[in-house]
Amino acid sequence: MLLPLTLRFSLLALSCMLPLAALAETPLSTERVTELETLLYQDCGSCHGMTLRGGLGPALPESRMGAYSRDGLAALILDGVKGTAMPGWAGLLTEQEARWIADHLQNDNPLDE
């Protein structure tokens, strides 16, 4: 079924506004950021090494994390990697929190390769 032209334009306009809504999301609290850092270095570190230099899972240096878009890396965090030990964290993290972790790995990662 073909939608009326005005409805198609309305849907197009709405879809263009969605990225703006993501930019307007409420910043994470300082407490939640601390919890996410702990999760990253302890829970993720249980496989990727406590300093993210590798272990059961690969090392996570900025150079490697930069190969992904922030949203792509967040999706990998949320969905996991099929056929590997990398679980999806969607049950414990929101999309915003996964994007924060991705951004941290790409920009504030203390790990030198």
Side-chain angles (χ1 to χ4, degrees):
M1 179 173 98
L2 190 59
L3 297 173
L5 187 59
T6 55
L7 182 56
R8 283 187 276 165
F9 282 128
S10 296
L11 290 172
L12 177 62
L14 180 62
S15 68
C16 290
M17 291 171 48
L18 289 176
L20 296 176
L23 292 175
E25 62 192 18
T26 306
L28 296 172
S29 70
T30 303
E31 181 179 305
R32 187 58 181 154
V33 166
T34 300
E35 292 169 351
L36 291 173
E37 287 175 337
T38 299
L39 178 117
L40 178 61
Y41 290 99
Q42 290 188 9
D43 292 283
C44 301
S46 66
C47 285
H48 294 284
M50 298 305 278
T51 59
L52 306 181
R53 295 182 191 284
L56 173 65
L60 304 177
E62 274 185 37
S63 59
R64 183 162 191 242
M65 299 298 95
Y68 300 93
S69 69
R70 182 184 72 153
D71 289 337
L73 187 53
L76 189 144
I77 292 165
L78 291 172
D79 300 333
V81 180
K82 187 176 180 176
T84 73
M86 174 65 185
W89 292 85
L92 298 171
L93 298 172
T94 66
E95 288 183 26
Q96 180 185 14
E97 292 166 342
R99 284 191 301 272
W100 183 91
I101 291 172
D103 185 62
H104 180 78
L105 287 170
Q106 293 175 324
N107 299 298
D108 299 321
N109 187 340
L111 177 61
D112 293 327
E113 196 170 12

